[in-house]
Amino acid sequence: MGDNYTLEVNNLFKHYTQRIKGNNRFSTVKKTVKAVDGISFKLEAGEVMGVIGESGCGKSTLAKLLTKLEYPTQGEILFNGESSDEMIKKDRLRYKRTIQMVFQNPFDTFDPRNSIEKIIVETLKMHNIGKTHSDRVSTAINAMEKIGLSPAGDYLHRFPHELSGGQLQRISILRTMLLKPKFLIADEPVSMLDVSVRADIIKMLQDLVRNSDTALIFISHDINTTRYISDKIVVMYLGRIVESGTTDYVLHNPVHPYTKTLISNCASINMDEKTDVIKIEGEPPTPIDNGPGCYFAPRCYMKKDICFKEYPEQKVIEENHFASCHFINSN
Amino acid sequence: MNKSGDFFTKMKRMLSMINQVRQLKIGIILLTIIILLALFAPLIATHDPFSLNDDMVNPPSKNYLLGTDGLGRDIFSGILYGARTSIVIGVVAASISGIVGTLIGGISGFYGGKIDSVVSEIINVFLMMPTFFLILIIVALFGSSMFNVMVVIGITTWTGNARLMRAQALSLKQRTFVKSLENIGESKIKTLIKHIIPNGIFPIIANTTMNISEAILTESGLSFLGLGDPNVMSWGQMVYNGKSYLTNGWWISTFSGAAIVLTVLAFYLIGDGMNNILSPKLNDNK
Ligand SMILES: Nc1ncnc2c1ncn2[C@@H]1O[C@H](COP(=O)(O)OP(=O)(O)OP(=O)(O)O)[C@@H](O)[C@H]1O
Ligand SMILES: [Mg+2]
């Protein structure tokens, strides 16, 4: 039980093959989309890891790989050293109880034809939680009251379209909570919600982490929210981690030009220091045909010849702070 | 709780929807009348439909409302009892087609991969086959009992439903709620049966209603060719019987033919109305 539960991701790849129309009318060219392109990290019980990066950099794909909604092309995911492939083969439901996910779109997270009661009770039944139907209903009521959906009786018989986005997202988090997962992935959990309820949802996630020692992977575009909630941060670019480390180190002392760009474009983070906004060139590219050099090189303001020749190795900046760039003087 | 209130608001919404779509309204009224007539056939009928009366090829009169056929059987009573046969055959055959099509199409679209390629090929093969002749051969080989006819129509027409359900499954499985069910631990087969099919069934229901009219027509066609079940009264057979009296007994084929047309029309209108509700865009530019 109370042992130090760890998640370890080793060199994870997910490549999709896409058919694209070729030059002449009848030829199709197969292209490989490198959605996740070699990711490794470690996460321990109770930790919150923020994942930031532009649209299309593979954040959702990473989430799907971890929850086994998709299977990796290569690489492994280990829980306490145990292979996730073995775990899910042995006991699918136990695996689901180990790692859970909250989706970006709360309006489409539930079957529109099921009532809230049915949604929660069926989940409990599936995982053999509670003995009788009324047992499970009262579990649902208690949990709903606790997160501020009270009186719960009012909500139980409603259908998803009769609730607000904030309420739905709370129910989505509540449902995962009832399974007591060791790890929770929240994929942009507030991006589709009204600004006024975002803080509540973030607070709910935070309480969950504090009270049950669940580790959280918080995926977001929003650096401010991520900074607020997470202990460490991973910055992704085109399927790779370009910089990672303790939140304060990464955000106050960013070394990778991409991280610097992201932060400089984010208004309120550096209120005190007046830095110029670094303009980033071009649109976020799709992860097709990148390399052989640094993936960020075409848009980088520091690019030199070497950037187009080889991918920079990961370097240690300080304790718990890593980055991959040719122009870092590692210690 | 307020479940009964919920029920009433739902009924109200349904009624207003039915009122808005004209085809649906007419179709439902027509079908209600037909079903009532079929249900109360023993009370309404003026004669035993099988009894051979003395007046043969009698034109419509007070005694024989719609006349009699070549053997002296009362047409009006025959049509009332024939309605039962037609509706039962239509509904059962279309239901078999609907259930088989939904399951196969659902599995094919939801599971994808090799199963899907195989099923798609089978569907293509079925689409290229001349269905009516296939039915004809099977009925000729295995006999023309009502049961055979229903099953044969059912299993030769499932492909349309399978295609519809496959498309539904393909689009539904991309939805977040299906991923969320997988994430929470629901098994694939349960997701298909409890979530994909109920959410994608509406076009199949609309199509099945249309299929009922097609099944009724197919049965009539078989009967007209002399391949109907001789133990039941059916409209197709009445048309068939009247064929040789067309010159001196027009009412035999005409009234039974009209019954077929009206019933087919009723189901067709309902099916078309449902399709209109489903894709109101096609109907907007009125
Ligand atoms: N099933 C798929 N087939 C082919 N390509 C895919 C598939 N799923 C994702 N991709 C591609 O992989 C890349 C990463 O997608 P992903 O959804 O993980 O991005 P993301 O970081 O979550 O973006 P966003 O911030 O917009 O949610 C994208 O270029 C996307 O087009
Ligand atoms: Mg995403």
Side-chain angles (χ1 to χ4, degrees):
Chain A
M1 289 295 287
D3 58 359
N4 232 9
Y5 220 88
T6 55
L7 161 68
E8 199 179 336
V9 172
N10 285 335
N11 231 358
L12 201 63
F13 288 83
K14 177 69 187 179
H15 293 180
Y16 294 105
T17 326
Q18 249 183 359
R19 279 169 207 281
I20 297 174
K21 257 196 202 127
N23 312 338
N24 81 46
R25 196 183 308 181
F26 300 106
S27 74
T28 52
V29 183
K30 275 193 188 171
K31 294 263 181 182
T32 311
V33 181
K34 298 174 178 169
V36 168
D37 202 26
I39 280 188
S40 312
F41 64 84
K42 242 186 192 178
L43 191 66
E44 299 197 358
E47 269 187 324
V48 180
M49 182 175 99
V51 179
I52 56 176
E54 278 170 305
S55 188
C57 69
K59 304 185 296 290
S60 299
T61 308
L62 175 64
K64 283 180 203 155
L65 290 172
L66 292 174
T67 48
K68 296 259 179 250
L69 298 180
E70 302 260 3
Y71 285 81
T73 317
Q74 201 189 309
E76 52 181 9
I77 301 163
L78 306 170
F79 289 93
N80 267 357
E82 191 180 355
S83 149
S84 61
D85 290 330
E86 294 289 318
M87 281 174 74
I88 197 160
K89 234 183 261 164
K90 247 193 281 169
D91 188 347
R92 197 171 54 89
L93 290 177
R94 187 173 83 96
Y95 186 81
K96 299 294 179 187
R97 286 194 297 273
T98 307
I99 184 159
Q100 269 295 314
M101 173 159 172
V102 171
F103 292 84
Q104 179 176 11
N105 184 355
F107 300 98
D108 198 33
T109 298
F110 305 111
D111 184 339
R113 303 172 57 91
N114 290 355
S115 67
I116 302 303
E117 176 180 351
K118 190 162 182 194
I119 289 165
I120 298 178
V121 169
E122 297 240 305
T123 305
L124 292 174
K125 199 172 161 192
M126 200 189 313
H127 288 273
N128 273 322
I129 302 173
K131 285 196 191 74
T132 60
H133 180 77
S134 55
D135 253 14
R136 296 179 185 122
V137 173
S138 62
T139 308
I141 290 178
N142 283 340
M144 282 167 77
E145 302 261 344
K146 229 182 257 168
I147 57 161
L149 291 174
S150 70
D154 278 3
Y155 295 94
L156 274 183
H157 296 288
R158 292 208 207 165
F159 288 84
H161 69 92
E162 294 168 323
L163 294 176
S164 73
Q167 290 167 335
L168 287 170
Q169 198 62 301
R170 265 185 270 177
I171 290 173
S172 177
I173 297 171
L174 173 150
R175 182 169 67 157
T176 62
M177 232 157 72
L178 289 173
L179 301 184
K180 303 196 173 67
K182 302 280 195 305
F183 296 90
L184 178 66
I185 304 174
D187 187 359
E188 305 189 36
V190 296
S191 68
M192 291 187 75
L193 300 180
D194 197 84
V195 183
S196 59
V197 297
R198 288 186 180 180
D200 289 345
I201 301 293
I202 301 288
K203 174 133 197 321
M204 194 178 158
L205 285 171
Q206 235 175 358
D207 288 347
L208 172 61
V209 173
R210 291 206 184 113
N211 297 339
S212 57
D213 224 19
T214 301
L216 176 68
I217 297 179
F218 185 84
I219 296 175
S220 177
H221 279 129
D222 181 4
I223 299 181
N224 282 323
T225 321
T226 312
R227 174 172 74 154
Y228 171 72
I229 194 171
S230 49
D231 305 318
K232 55 184 190 183
I233 276 193
V234 160
V235 182
M236 279 179 71
Y237 189 78
L238 290 186
R240 290 203 175 176
I241 295 177
V242 292
E243 184 162 358
S244 64
T246 313
T247 303
D248 285 340
Y249 293 170
V250 174
L251 294 183
H252 288 289
N253 180 26
V255 290
H256 196 282
Y258 180 62
T259 318
K260 286 182 186 168
T261 316
L262 277 184
I263 292 171
S264 78
N265 281 294
C266 171
S268 61
I269 202 160
N270 280 338
M271 288 289 236
D272 35 347
E273 321 155 28
K274 287 252 168 170
T275 46
D276 290 327
V277 173
I278 306 170
K279 284 271 163 51
I280 197 163
E281 295 167 28
E283 287 287 297
T286 43
I288 303 173
D289 291 340
N290 32 30
C294 172
Y295 294 174
F296 185 57
R299 297 164 80 197
C300 184
Y301 61 92
M302 284 167 49
K303 61 190 168 221
K304 297 230 168 75
D305 279 350
I306 183 166
C307 299
F308 292 95
K309 287 193 185 111
E310 55 186 287
Y311 197 90
E313 275 177 34
Q314 191 183 67
K315 291 169 193 160
V316 183
I317 315 302
E318 54 204 309
E319 204 195 344
N320 292 326
H321 187 181
F322 312 90
S324 307
C325 178
H326 286 298
F327 305 110
I328 296 168
N329 313 314
S330 60
N331 309 348
Chain B
M1 300 278 154
N2 47 7
K3 262 192 171 166
S4 58
D6 246 30
F7 180 73
F8 280 119
T9 51
K10 259 186 197 161
M11 285 297 281
K12 254 187 212 157
R13 208 183 304 155
M14 220 160 85
L15 275 179
S16 79
M17 201 127 74
I18 289 173
N19 264 323
Q20 271 165 22
V21 184
R22 209 180 320 131
Q23 297 102 301
L24 202 56
K25 196 170 156 187
I26 300 172
I28 286 176
I29 292 172
L30 205 57
L31 183 63
T32 315
I33 296 172
I34 295 169
I35 288 178
L36 285 178
L37 288 177
L39 271 180
F40 295 109
L43 299 177
I44 305 166
T46 49
H47 295 77
D48 177 352
F50 289 103
S51 81
L52 312 173
N53 299 297
D54 297 335
D55 312 295
M56 287 175 275
V57 204
N58 211 44
S61 65
K62 259 194 188 146
N63 191 13
Y64 307 107
L65 287 175
L66 300 176
T68 61
D69 69 0
L71 296 172
R73 289 176 295 197
D74 183 45
I75 304 279
F76 177 66
S77 311
I79 286 180
L80 287 180
Y81 280 93
R84 295 179 160 194
T85 315
S86 291
I87 291 175
V88 167
I89 287 186
V91 170
V92 174
S95 306
I96 293 174
S97 154
I99 292 168
V100 173
T102 302
L103 285 178
I104 295 183
I107 290 171
S108 169
F110 184 55
Y111 284 82
K114 275 198 186 119
I115 302 177
D116 190 30
S117 332
V118 172
V119 172
S120 299
E121 281 313 309
I122 294 175
I123 290 178
N124 286 339
V125 169
F126 263 87
L127 284 178
M128 279 185 283
M129 265 195 288
T131 319
F132 189 74
F133 290 103
L134 188 67
I135 295 174
L136 214 61
I137 292 169
I138 297 177
V139 169
L141 284 178
F142 296 99
S144 60
S145 72
M146 198 167 139
F147 176 79
N148 277 1
V149 171
M150 293 189 299
V151 172
V152 167
I153 296 177
I155 57 172
T156 46
T157 57
W158 59 269
T159 44
N161 290 320
R163 280 211 307 186
L164 283 175
M165 192 66 223
R166 178 174 172 269
Q168 291 280 31
L170 280 177
S171 82
L172 282 169
K173 78 174 177 185
Q174 303 295 336
R175 294 269 299 269
T176 305
F177 80 83
V178 175
K179 304 236 186 280
S180 146
L181 280 164
E182 190 183 346
N183 167 60
I184 213 79
E186 187 74 296
S187 68
K188 278 213 130 178
I189 186 75
K190 278 194 181 157
T191 306
L192 175 66
I193 289 168
K194 282 162 68 178
H195 304 279
I196 301 272
I197 290 178
N199 275 292
I201 199 72
F202 194 78
I204 282 101
I205 292 176
N207 189 52
T208 295
T209 322
M210 302 258 220
N211 279 350
I212 294 178
S213 28
E214 252 162 62
I216 292 175
L217 277 180
T218 307
E219 190 276 335
S220 306
L222 285 174
S223 298
F224 187 73
L225 294 173
L227 287 169
D229 187 338
N231 302 315
V232 293
M233 181 62 62
S234 105
W235 293 338
Q237 285 172 47
M238 293 170 77
V239 178
Y240 172 60
N241 292 335
K243 200 172 53 176
S244 32
Y245 301 94
L246 270 182
T247 44
N248 56 343
W250 56 269
W251 52 88
I252 306 176
S253 296
T254 310
F255 290 125
S256 42
I260 297 175
V261 171
L262 279 179
T263 311
V264 166
L265 187 69
F267 282 110
Y268 187 82
L269 285 175
I270 295 174
D272 195 42
M274 286 206 254
N275 271 331
N276 263 334
I277 293 176
L278 189 68
S279 51
K281 272 172 233 143
L282 298 175
N283 211 27
D284 261 0
N285 43 8
K286 265 200 268 196

